[in-house]
Amino acid sequence: MYDAPSLENTLDQKAIKIAATDVQVYYGDTHAIKDVSVQIQDNTVTAFIGPSGCGKSTFLRCLNRMNDTIDICRVEGKILLDNEDIYDPKVDPVQLRAKVGMVFQKPNPFPKSIYDNIAYGPKIHGLARTKAELDEIVEKSLRRGAIWDEVKDRLQSPGTGLSGGQQQRLCIARAIATEPEVLLMDEPCSALDPIATAQVEELIDELRANFSVVIVTHSMQQAARVSQKTAFFHLGNLVEYGDTSQIFTTPVDPRTESYITGRIG
Amino acid sequence: MTDASIPKASTLLRPDARTKKRNASEARFRFYGMVAIGIGLTMLLVLMFTILTKGVGAFQQTFITLQVELLENKLDKTGARDLELIKKVSTFGYAPLIAGGFNKVVADTGIQTTLKPKDQSGILSKSAPAQLRDYVLNDPDQIGKTIEFEFLANSRVDGYLKGRVTRESIANDKNISVEQLDFVDQLKQAGVLKKRFNMDFILGADASDQRPEAAGMGVAMAGSFFMMLVVLALALPIGVAASIYLEEFAAKNWITDIIEVNISNLAAVPSIVFGILGLAVFINYMHLPQSAPLVGGLVLTLMTLPTIIISTRASLKAVPPSIRDAALGLGASKMQSVFHHVLPLAAPGILTGTIIGLAQALGETAPLLLIGMIGFIASNAPGGISEGLLSPNSAMPAQIYEWAKRADPAFYERAWGGIIILLVFLVTMNTIAVILRRRFERRW
Ligand SMILES: Nc1ncnc2c1ncn2[C@@H]1O[C@H](COP(=O)(O)OP(=O)(O)O)[C@@H](O)[C@H]1O
Ligand SMILES: [Mg+2]
């Protein structure tokens, strides 16, 4: 009883990066996200798990307003990034997305050279003034994306010519090249083989030092391996949110328990 | 059903009744398909064969080479080589020189003929004196010398060499006589009269009813070219801008639905409707010049726009959404994602659609009927872009129609020849479109 508050305190030592309150998402008449409130910490890997169709991707896309690109999608509620409401009418989603980068389920490199894939973000955001600076950003991003050694000799060859795992790491490198503060990943390993998955997971763990990472995954083992916090979604509701170790060992909600023991799929 | 006495019924080695029936119906269907393709191919072959056999003749023309003495006392009495004075000598003044040329040939080769000099010259095109006059006006220094000059033979002589005209068929023809044909045979034997490839058919201007041998496609080709210029300059940017807006920016609601349906409707509107629209709006209301390629181009732009919009939208749709997501996820604006990533990937498709639209417009005849581009005889090639756009002209399909309409069979042959030229253009354009599509298909 005495320890409990202090445990809370140690957890909260890390700053809150994103605070979502009472978020509702509708696709036309479909109510896809219901009353979700969650606080995502800085320098932490947060995993969203849940059966497919439960709204993980939908909620993730709220965090960088990618849902704006879907005509029928409507978002209500409040999402604060560093205490600023990202759905404020004054906010330009383009600026927001530079701060909140995204990696998609299917690797989607541009059909351009590896170099141009990485350089595109920095270029449109004016992060480099000279070619030398741009070269430096490209190298640094590819190193942080743990793919530099594999591609350093063929920066001018097309990014689409890489293997699936390499493409996904290229996409991660591309996302971090714009120096975002938060990195959203929607099932980044679902199209990868186990070896590539291991490489990407290792990379995610390293990224934690600099970013707040939110990862959607359908693999509970993966959530257990890479995340510190886990949120369990079910039918559009956030059922349970807490430390990964706690969610996987002593879930509070019976639905969470059935899911992690394999009874809801 | 389970008759144990004949277990062999279910052997795989012998097809059962159902399988036999299925196979038979498949074989029938294959046969129908092959028949259908056969019919199509036969039609195509017959078409190509007809066009080629009837049309290639137009690319050949009969010429007569004469030694003509450009007598100074006829062309330039003062000897001052004053161009203004030389111009005063009309084509009539040149006729005796040509007759002299025939005289010389007859004397040199020992041809026996009873034809009067006037009838000898009668085997030439009516434009022969004008041909010679143009030559002299171009280069007055030749006056006084004897030059070797190649004259067009008239269309009857040309037809005689091509087998279109025979001694029997000219019984009632007052343009040519049997004696003249004998003379032609002799000249041919002497190597003076020859049939050869005629570049002027491709590059030259149309000629009046009386001189089919001098008519060419070139000026109509220029008319078509300037129309295509207008179509390209207007339809491509307008069509692409409209498609990008509709596909990438416009909200999907009932207004865009209506627009979409109407663009498809527009694509199905018969071209003659665009022609009458062009007549009403561009000529009667805006007072743009009649028969001008500019107006033709504007009308064809209206016709081509839906084609370009539909194909552009299709190629934009074909670009995977993941590319847009990738760009937007990096913080690119909508416009940056479209112009940096989507458009380059859609470009080959857009280009293909544009070329096919242009090819359609190039062969379009009906709307030109209404804006006066048919029946106009353009005798001079346009000098510049503004003249090319604004001065009256014809167009390739219009020219073909015009030739086919004229009574003289020599023009009929030229119409087929014109069709060959037009088809060469269309096939080339479509080939380019196919190659583009093949080359750039699915790079992502
Ligand atoms: N673009 C869309 N249009 C309409 N409904 C959608 C769209 N995307 C997702 N949905 C619906 O929203 C719900 C949640 O989907 P999603 O967020 O993709 O689930 P998850 O990522 O957890 O599998 C599903 O019922 C799905 O059918
Ligand atoms: Mg999903």
Side-chain angles (χ1 to χ4, degrees):
Chain A
M1 284 293 114
Y2 172 74
D3 276 353
S6 80
L7 185 69
E8 283 297 318
N9 283 343
T10 42
L11 274 175
D12 284 354
Q13 270 172 359
K14 288 183 176 159
I16 300 294
K17 191 68 188 171
I18 297 175
T21 330
D22 294 337
V23 175
Q24 322 279 348
V25 182
Y26 303 88
Y27 289 110
D29 295 331
T30 321
H31 198 171
I33 291 287
K34 299 159 192 159
D35 273 332
V36 170
S37 300
V38 68
Q39 299 195 325
I40 290 164
Q41 296 177 344
D42 207 357
N43 300 105
T44 304
V45 177
T46 306
F48 289 176
I49 60 169
S52 89
C54 66
K56 307 178 296 286
S57 303
T58 302
F59 186 68
L60 191 74
R61 292 162 62 92
C62 290
L63 303 182
N64 69 344
R65 291 185 61 174
M66 277 301 275
N67 281 333
D68 290 18
T69 61
I70 300 171
D71 275 332
I72 55 168
C73 184
R74 195 155 47 84
V75 179
E76 284 170 11
K78 206 171 204 171
I79 300 177
L80 303 181
L81 172 71
D82 291 331
N83 281 319
E84 288 173 336
D85 183 358
I86 63 170
Y87 278 91
D88 190 291
K90 289 196 286 284
V91 171
D92 188 338
V94 168
Q95 240 176 318
L96 169 71
R97 287 180 205 136
K99 275 190 161 191
V100 184
M102 187 152 196
V103 176
F104 298 83
Q105 184 167 355
K106 208 175 124 244
N108 57 354
F110 298 126
K112 299 186 174 187
S113 71
I114 294 171
Y115 184 96
D116 288 340
N117 262 283
I118 305 292
Y120 182 68
K123 260 190 211 155
I124 58 173
H125 295 301
L127 299 184
R129 268 159 300 154
T130 61
K131 177 83 170 67
E133 273 182 29
L134 195 60
D135 289 349
E136 202 179 309
I137 292 178
V138 170
E139 177 172 347
K140 193 174 126 204
S141 308
L142 287 171
R143 280 188 192 284
R144 283 161 87 183
I147 191 183
W148 170 254
D149 290 330
E150 289 153 72
V151 301
K152 62 171 185 268
D153 302 321
R154 44 169 174 159
L155 290 179
Q156 292 311 323
S157 55
T160 38
L162 298 172
S163 76
Q166 288 174 323
Q167 287 191 12
Q168 194 61 301
R169 278 179 286 149
L170 177 68
C171 291
I172 295 174
R174 180 178 68 185
I176 52 190
T178 53
E179 298 288 339
E181 296 165 15
V182 180
L183 202 54
L184 310 178
M185 301 186 172
D186 192 348
E187 303 194 23
C189 301
S190 69
L192 306 186
D193 61 69
I195 294 173
T197 302
Q199 285 168 326
V200 171
E201 282 178 6
E202 200 176 317
L203 171 60
I204 292 170
D205 200 50
E206 285 163 22
L207 293 175
R208 179 156 66 98
N210 299 299
F211 307 97
S212 166
V213 180
V214 184
I215 174 172
V216 169
T217 173
H218 58 249
S219 149
M220 283 172 291
Q221 291 89 330
Q222 182 170 58
R225 281 194 300 264
V226 299
S227 71
Q228 289 78 53
K229 287 278 194 176
T230 297
F232 172 65
F233 286 80
H234 187 239
L235 298 176
N237 296 301
L238 176 60
V239 173
E240 194 164 350
Y241 176 54
D243 286 346
T244 302
S245 52
Q246 176 254 315
I247 296 265
F248 279 94
T249 51
T250 52
V252 177
D253 196 284
R255 283 171 293 177
T256 318
E257 193 178 356
S258 350
Y259 182 66
I260 56 175
T261 54
R263 263 174 284 152
I264 312 179
Chain B
M1 288 311 233
T2 48
D3 196 343
S5 66
I6 36 168
K8 284 268 151 63
S10 68
T11 173
L12 280 175
L13 297 175
R14 207 169 348 100
D16 61 17
R18 280 179 70 86
T19 312
K20 266 186 204 148
K21 218 172 133 192
R22 267 204 306 250
N23 289 350
S25 90
E26 183 175 324
R28 268 198 310 277
F29 179 76
R30 278 168 188 249
F31 175 73
Y32 294 151
M34 266 155 22
V35 168
I37 288 176
I39 292 175
L41 276 182
T42 317
M43 299 274 204
L44 187 69
L45 281 179
V46 169
L47 186 78
M48 291 319 267
F49 182 76
T50 319
I51 291 175
L52 282 178
T53 46
K54 296 206 173 188
V56 280
F59 292 88
Q60 298 232 311
Q61 206 63 44
T62 308
F63 289 90
I64 299 169
T65 312
L66 297 177
Q67 309 285 331
V68 179
E69 192 179 1
L70 300 172
L71 298 164
E72 189 166 16
N73 61 358
K74 291 261 199 253
L75 302 179
D76 188 17
K77 292 199 177 80
T78 64
R81 299 286 183 273
D82 181 351
L83 204 57
E84 289 309 309
L85 287 176
I86 301 173
K87 272 186 185 161
K88 290 226 168 89
V89 182
S90 72
T91 49
F92 282 116
Y94 288 83
L97 304 184
I98 295 173
F102 273 108
N103 252 335
K104 193 161 156 34
V105 165
V106 170
D108 286 355
T109 56
I111 291 173
Q112 301 292 317
T113 178
T114 55
L115 285 176
K116 285 181 262 172
K118 182 171 158 291
D119 293 332
Q120 293 178 359
S121 303
I123 67 169
L124 292 185
S125 165
K126 290 204 166 57
S127 63
Q131 258 184 305
L132 189 60
R133 182 170 178 265
D134 286 345
Y135 173 84
V136 169
L137 293 182
N138 241 336
D139 189 5
D141 291 338
Q142 299 290 341
I143 293 177
K145 298 182 189 151
T146 299
I147 57 158
E148 196 177 271
F149 199 88
E150 210 175 27
F151 293 97
L152 273 171
N154 78 23
S155 65
R156 296 302 187 310
V157 173
D158 185 54
Y160 177 61
L161 261 73
K162 290 174 183 166
R164 186 178 64 233
V165 174
T166 59
R167 278 159 210 277
E168 294 75 46
S169 75
I170 60 166
N172 296 319
D173 194 336
K174 53 186 187 317
N175 286 313
I176 194 132
S177 64
V178 174
E179 291 75 36
Q180 280 175 318
L181 289 187
D182 292 337
F183 186 50
V184 165
D185 281 338
Q186 285 167 310
L187 286 175
K188 192 177 163 198
Q189 215 130 60
V192 175
L193 182 144
K194 267 201 208 83
K195 199 171 75 175
R196 68 159 170 84
F197 180 73
N198 180 22
M199 201 61 186
D200 280 346
F201 174 64
I202 300 174
L203 298 179
D206 191 14
S208 68
D209 267 5
Q210 300 301 310
R211 297 177 291 121
E213 63 279 353
M217 196 70 170
V219 176
M221 224 186 269
S224 280
F225 171 76
F226 283 106
M227 288 203 305
M228 291 307 110
L229 222 55
V230 174
V231 175
L232 193 63
L234 290 178
L236 184 60
I238 296 176
V240 171
S243 329
I244 291 179
Y245 179 77
L246 282 174
E247 201 54 46
E248 307 282 339
F249 292 93
K252 304 272 173 289
N253 54 27
W254 62 272
I255 302 180
T256 39
D257 282 349
I258 290 182
I259 292 176
E260 185 159 355
V261 168
N262 280 303
I263 288 172
S264 309
N265 283 342
L266 218 54
V269 168
S271 55
I272 194 137
V273 176
F274 290 111
I276 203 157
L277 188 75
L279 175 65
V281 176
F282 299 129
I283 295 179
N284 292 346
Y285 179 72
M286 287 165 69
H287 298 292
L288 292 175
Q290 230 178 15
S291 309
L294 175 66
V295 179
L298 288 171
V299 169
L300 293 179
T301 299
L302 293 179
M303 218 196 75
T304 314
L305 257 180
T307 313
I308 292 188
I309 292 180
I310 288 169
S311 67
T312 303
R313 292 189 67 181
S315 20
L316 289 174
K317 272 202 187 90
V319 175
S322 65
I323 297 289
R324 296 178 180 82
D325 284 347
L328 294 175
L330 282 176
S333 67
K334 189 98 199 183
M335 178 146 161
Q336 285 172 326
S337 101
V338 170
F339 280 87
H340 295 164
H341 300 289
V342 179
L343 205 53
L345 291 177
I350 297 174
L351 231 54
T352 307
T354 307
I355 294 173
I356 288 172
L358 279 183
Q360 267 174 17
L362 187 68
E364 196 54 66
T365 324
L368 307 183
L369 206 69
L370 288 162
I371 55 170
M373 289 186 80
I374 289 181
F376 182 83
I377 299 174
S379 41
N380 290 307
I385 290 188
S386 70
E387 199 191 325
L389 288 174
L390 293 172
S391 64
N393 202 335
S394 189
M396 282 197 272
Q399 182 73 70
I400 292 168
Y401 173 72
E402 179 63 27
W403 282 340
K405 217 172 55 175
R406 292 183 192 168
D408 194 324
F411 275 118
Y412 189 61
E413 177 189 81
R414 291 189 122 63
W416 285 99
I419 285 172
I420 292 181
I421 297 181
L422 185 62
L423 281 180
V424 166
F425 274 96
L426 296 182
V427 169
T428 312
M429 288 167 87
N430 284 330
T431 310
I432 293 173
V434 170
I435 289 173
L436 272 178
R437 194 158 34 195
R438 283 275 163 80
R439 267 200 70 137
F440 293 98
E441 219 169 36
R442 298 227 156 269
R443 277 190 314 170
W444 47 83

